[in-house]
Amino acid sequence: MITSKIIANGILRAIAYFLAIGLFLYFLYQIQTVIIYLLISLILCLVTNPFVSFLKKRLKFNNTMATVTTLVVLISLLVGFVLLFVPLIISQAENLSLLDTDSLQKQFLVIEKNIENYFNVNHINLEQILKESNLSSKINYNYFTDFINSILNLIAGFGMGLGSVLFITFFFLKDQLLFKEKAKMILPDATEDKILNSIDKINILLSRYFVGLMIQLTVVFILYFIVLLIFHAENAFVIAFLCALLNIIPYIGPLIGMILAAILTLIGGIGTDFSTEVLPTTIYIMIGFMIVQVIDNNIFQPIIFSKSVNSHPLEIFLVILISGVTFGVFGMVVAIPLFTILKVVLKEFFPTNKIVSVLTENI
C-alpha cells in the first residue's frame, strides 16, 4: 500500500536527484576551461599517437623518450608557426582592417563606389537604389572584425593554457597503458572487455580522422596560398590561413572562406584601378578557390571523412546536415567524431541488432 510517507520520500528523492544533477552541471560549467584543456590534450594525443608508435616501433625509443620527442616536435612546430604568423598578422593588421571597424566601413564604401562606377549604370540608378536600401548602414561591420578578433583571442587563450595542455598531453601519451590498467580495476567485469575494445577502436579511428584532417587543412592552405601568390594578392599568407582554417566546418566553411578571400582582396586592392586590376584579380582568385574546393571535395574529403572513419559519404553528409540543423556550426564540426564514437559503442554492445549491423559493417 502506498502511503503518504512513501510518496513524500519519493518526492524528496527526486528533488535530491535534480539538485545533484544541477550541482554537477554547474560544477562542469565552472571548470569549463579545464574541460577544454582536456579535450585539446585528447585531440593532440590522438593526432600524435601514430608518431609515438612510429618512434617506439621503428626507432626503438622507450615510452618516455618517444613521448618527450613527440612533444618537442610539437612545440617546435608551434613556435615556428607563431614566429611566422604573428609578426605577419601584426604588420598587416592595418591593411586588413582586422581591428579597426571605422576603417573597414570606409573601405567598404569605397568598394561600393567603385562597383557603381564600374558598371556605369545608365538605365538603372544604382546610387539611388543603394541610398534607398541604406545597405552600408545595415551591414554589421563588427561581425567581420569580431570574427577575426575571436580567432586572435582563441590563439591568445590557448597560449595562456599552453603549459597545462602540454602537461596533460604528456601524461596522456606516456601513461596510456597505466590508464587502461586503472580502468580495468574500476569498470564492471561484465562490460569491461566491451568498453576497452570500444576505447581502442575509437582511439584508432579518431587518430586517423584527426591526422587526416590536419593533412587536409595543410594541403588546402598550400593550394590557397599558391592561388593568391599567382594573382599577387596582398596578405596572401593571412588570407590563405584563415580560409583553410574555415575548412574545419564541413561544406559551409569553404564557401565562407571564399567570400572572406574576395572581401579581403577587394579591401587590399583599394588605391589601384578597380576595373582593370582589383575586380579581375578578385574574380580569378574566387575561380582558383573553386578549383581548390573541387580538388578537395573529390580527393581529400572522401578519404578523410569516409575511409578514415569507415563510413559512406552519403552517411557522413546526412550526419553533418542533421547536426548542423540541430546544433548549428558547432554540431557540424563535432558531428563526425561523435558519430564515429556512437557507431563503435553500438557495435560493441548491440552487435546482433540488424540496424546496427548495417551501419557498422565496415568497423
Side-chain angles (χ1 to χ4, degrees):
M1 180 178 178
I2 300 177
T3 63
S4 59
K5 184 177 181 180
I6 295 176
I7 295 175
N9 288 336
I11 294 174
L12 291 174
R13 193 179 296 109
I15 293 173
Y17 285 150
F18 282 118
L19 285 175
I21 293 173
L23 288 173
F24 179 70
L25 293 176
Y26 178 74
F27 174 72
L28 292 180
Y29 175 77
Q30 291 296 318
I31 64 168
Q32 57 180 309
T33 302
V34 178
I35 295 175
I36 292 174
Y37 290 162
L38 288 171
L39 290 176
I40 294 174
S41 299
L42 180 60
I43 292 174
L44 288 176
C45 181
L46 292 171
V47 171
T48 56
N49 230 353
F51 186 67
V52 174
S53 299
F54 171 80
L55 293 177
K56 290 163 65 175
K57 294 178 180 178
R58 300 291 184 179
L59 302 183
K60 306 302 179 182
F61 282 26
N62 61 42
N63 189 45
T64 302
M65 184 59 68
T67 302
V68 171
T69 303
T70 301
L71 288 181
V72 169
V73 172
L74 190 63
I75 294 172
S76 300
L77 291 174
L78 181 61
V79 170
F81 171 79
V82 171
L83 293 176
L84 178 66
F85 182 72
V86 171
L88 184 60
I89 194 70
I90 292 174
S91 65
Q92 299 297 337
E94 184 178 352
N95 291 335
L96 284 171
S97 300
L98 298 181
L99 305 176
D100 190 349
T101 304
D102 293 334
S103 177
L104 177 64
Q105 184 170 358
K106 291 177 183 178
Q107 290 184 349
F108 183 85
L109 292 175
V110 172
I111 293 172
E112 182 181 304
K113 187 67 176 177
N114 285 333
I115 293 175
E116 177 188 336
N117 294 334
Y118 176 75
F119 286 103
N120 193 18
V121 285
N122 296 319
H123 303 291
I124 301 176
N125 192 342
L126 184 59
E127 182 178 2
Q128 184 64 28
I129 293 174
L130 291 174
K131 287 181 179 179
E132 291 176 358
S133 64
N134 201 16
L135 178 63
S136 61
S137 65
K138 293 180 181 178
I139 295 177
N140 185 3
Y141 299 94
N142 288 320
Y143 179 81
F144 175 72
T145 53
D146 287 346
F147 168 75
I148 302 299
N149 286 330
S150 65
I151 295 177
L152 298 178
N153 290 333
L154 179 63
I155 296 173
F158 178 75
M160 293 177 60
L162 181 60
S164 299
V165 169
L166 292 175
F167 185 80
I168 297 170
T169 304
F170 172 78
F171 286 103
F172 274 0
L173 289 170
K174 176 178 175 292
D175 296 330
Q176 293 182 63
L177 295 178
L178 178 62
F179 292 151
K180 192 172 182 178
E181 292 299 322
K182 296 293 184 182
K184 289 181 178 180
M185 297 171 60
I186 299 173
L187 296 174
D189 294 336
T191 58
E192 177 184 312
D193 291 337
K194 292 181 179 179
I195 293 175
L196 293 177
N197 288 337
S198 298
I199 293 174
D200 288 339
K201 289 182 180 179
I202 290 170
N203 184 34
I204 294 172
L205 290 175
L206 291 187
S207 293
R208 289 164 53 186
Y209 171 73
F210 284 117
V211 171
L213 183 61
M214 292 300 104
I215 294 174
Q216 181 212 14
L217 295 181
T218 302
V219 173
V220 169
F221 162 73
I222 293 172
L223 294 177
Y224 280 162
F225 190 46
I226 292 173
V227 170
L228 293 168
L229 288 179
I230 289 174
F231 297 106
H232 307 288
E234 293 188 17
N235 314 304
F237 183 91
V238 176
I239 296 174
F241 174 78
L242 293 175
C243 294
L245 191 63
L246 285 168
N247 274 259
I248 294 176
I249 308 172
Y251 305 116
I252 295 179
L255 178 61
I256 299 174
M258 187 168 62
I259 295 173
L260 178 63
I263 294 173
L264 292 177
T265 304
L266 289 171
I267 292 174
I270 289 178
T272 58
D273 187 81
F274 184 79
S275 60
T276 60
E277 294 185 30
V278 180
L279 186 60
T281 299
T282 304
I283 294 174
Y284 293 147
I285 288 174
M286 292 185 70
I287 293 173
F289 273 42
M290 289 180 185
I291 294 173
V292 172
Q293 283 308 309
V294 169
I295 297 172
D296 181 43
N297 292 335
N298 290 279
I299 298 176
F300 303 125
Q301 285 193 17
I303 295 175
I304 296 168
F305 292 163
S306 300
K307 294 184 179 180
S308 63
V309 294
N310 296 331
S311 297
H312 192 276
L314 179 59
E315 184 180 357
I316 293 296
F317 175 77
L318 292 176
V319 168
I320 293 174
L321 181 62
I322 293 171
S323 299
V325 171
T326 307
F327 301 106
V329 173
F330 178 77
M332 298 179 72
V333 173
V334 301
I336 298 175
L338 292 181
F339 181 62
T340 302
I341 293 172
L342 179 62
K343 286 177 65 174
V344 171
V345 172
L346 289 176
K347 185 175 181 63
E348 285 295 326
F349 285 88
F350 307 100
T352 58
N353 184 281
K354 292 183 178 180
I355 298 177
V356 172
S357 61
V358 171
L359 290 176
T360 62
E361 61 180 349
N362 294 324
I363 294 181

